[in-house]
Amino acid sequence: MDNLATYAENTWCPGCGNFGILTAFKQAVGRLEADGLARKDLAIVAGIGQHGKIFDYLKLSGFYALHGRSLATAQGMKLANPGLKIVVFVGDGDSYGEGLAHLVFAAKRNADLTVIVHNNGAYGLTTGQATPTSMKGFRGPSPPRGSVEEPFNPLSLMLASGATFVARGYPVKLNHLADLVVRAIQNEGFSLVDVLQPCVTFNNTYELYNNSVTELEVVPETFEDSMAAARRTDRLLIGVIREVSADPYHRQLLGDRRPAADRLSGSQRMEAIRKTLG
Ligand SMILES: Cc1ncc(C[n+]2csc(CCOP(=O)(O)OP(=O)(O)O)c2C)c(N)n1
Ligand code: SF4
């Protein structure tokens, strides 16, 4: 396989955690393609932000969506063409902030998508404002005196919303992250990989994460065990926190129909309308 490179010049800051996400994703695609995934059956979607630039750096088909709306776009693409495997790259501001309702409902209905959250605890592209996962005390242009709010825990929110695959990764553990992405894409249903992405410019968390990230050995068995793993604060657990199988939304809604591929011609549509009207 080629390395999916494009002509676009990379403008991420040297040391940005996004580089690890890009490399891990490329590794994952290589492994999935070696396993039989056809390039034409893979599509990517990205929101607007530093994370969204990954769309420019990958020679893959897809849709560069609006800030906060990539989940809605991806769900539409999946329903039109259920044969696609879709990977959605979002920022924490993009998905846990502005687009939160789309994320919760995509998890609730088990939309067959893989969501990779570049969770850097800041609105990176707009120069470092606080997001829902910014730590208490985080300073930026907003809030300049430090955030007085506690961050929310996206993993427990996703578990409570019904996500069938929930994982957390760290770009420094590159092969581990690539494994998570492969497993997330293989899961037929809603998969979320929250990536602890250091932003060297606005939220440099390398030291914090290097000292607290710990690999989970086995997938927790029960929902309660998954919740407990997601909520651990003494160590930040990385790995698969929940993995269960459930019928995906498109199959429940459409059965085996493939709306884009099975589209009727104009005359077939007229014939169907005539029949309906008697
Ligand atoms: C609908 C809409 N709202 C707000 C913006 C402005 N905007 C663009 S990027 C961005 C921040 C992105 O932050 P995040 O999603 O955390 O991604 P990061 O840049 O950190 O990767 C914002 C607020 C926009 N482009 N469109
Ligand atoms: S500002 Fe932060 S997120 Fe954006 S490229 Fe630089 S290090 Fe990465």
Side-chain angles (χ1 to χ4, degrees):
M1 86 127 212
D2 56 44
N3 79 348
L4 301 175
T6 66
Y7 61 87
E9 184 193 342
N10 194 308
T11 57
W12 286 328
C13 309
C16 175
N18 282 331
F19 286 101
I21 299 178
L22 177 64
T23 307
F25 178 72
K26 285 182 175 181
Q27 265 189 32
V29 172
R31 283 169 52 186
L32 290 162
E33 288 190 341
D35 227 29
L37 176 69
R39 181 86 48 104
K40 70 173 178 52
D41 295 331
L42 178 64
I44 56 172
V45 179
I48 303 297
Q50 295 288 17
H51 65 277
K53 294 177 183 174
I54 203 167
F55 191 92
D56 293 332
Y57 308 148
L58 287 167
K59 201 166 86 189
L60 289 169
S61 300
F63 197 96
Y64 209 153
L66 295 175
H67 183 64
R69 300 292 174 259
S70 38
L71 263 295
T73 308
Q75 287 177 81
M77 287 164 62
K78 180 72 189 182
L79 286 182
N81 187 354
L84 284 179
K85 273 287 175 194
I86 303 179
V87 179
V88 194
F89 298 95
V90 290
D92 47 311
D94 183 40
S95 58
Y96 300 148
E98 189 152 349
L100 181 63
H102 295 295
L103 187 72
V104 167
F105 282 96
K108 171 187 176 286
R109 55 175 75 108
N110 198 27
D112 181 23
L113 304 170
T114 294
V115 183
I116 299 181
V117 187
H118 301 223
N119 184 359
N120 57 15
Y123 285 95
L125 194 69
T126 45
T127 69
Q129 298 81 6
T131 69
T133 53
S134 298
M135 279 167 266
K136 194 169 179 180
F138 172 87
R139 280 171 199 263
S142 163
R145 293 197 196 134
S147 171
V148 294
E149 296 177 34
E150 289 291 346
F152 71 48
N153 182 325
L155 300 184
S156 42
L157 179 70
M158 286 295 93
L159 291 170
S161 306
T164 48
F165 182 102
V166 177
R168 191 196 269 137
Y170 181 39
V172 171
K173 305 265 181 186
L174 200 69
N175 296 334
H176 182 265
L177 179 58
D179 281 346
L180 295 180
V181 174
V182 167
R183 285 172 70 177
I185 295 174
Q186 283 170 338
N187 173 50
E188 203 191 17
F190 184 85
S191 307
L192 180 123
V193 183
D194 179 82
V195 184
L196 301 170
Q197 180 236 315
C199 163
V200 289
T201 304
F202 300 114
N203 195 21
N204 193 342
T205 45
Y206 277 116
E207 199 184 333
L208 174 75
Y209 293 155
N210 286 343
N211 288 329
S212 63
V213 156
T214 304
E215 286 182 33
L216 196 59
E217 299 290 326
V218 286
V219 184
E221 259 185 39
T222 65
F223 179 80
E224 288 70 27
D225 292 342
S226 298
M227 269 292 184
R231 285 185 173 149
R232 279 267 300 264
T233 49
D234 56 328
R235 308 297 304 162
L236 271 174
L237 297 180
I238 58 168
V240 178
I241 281 163
R242 179 111 176 121
E243 189 173 24
V244 286
S245 107
D247 223 7
Y249 181 60
H250 66 274
R251 183 145 333 107
Q252 294 187 60
L253 193 71
L254 300 171
D256 290 329
R257 275 193 303 125
R258 299 167 307 154
D262 303 341
R263 200 168 39 193
L264 298 178
S265 68
S267 55
Q268 285 170 320
R269 260 202 311 277
M270 284 310 293
E271 187 51 35
I273 291 169
R274 266 191 217 104
K275 263 198 199 140
T276 309
L277 297 177

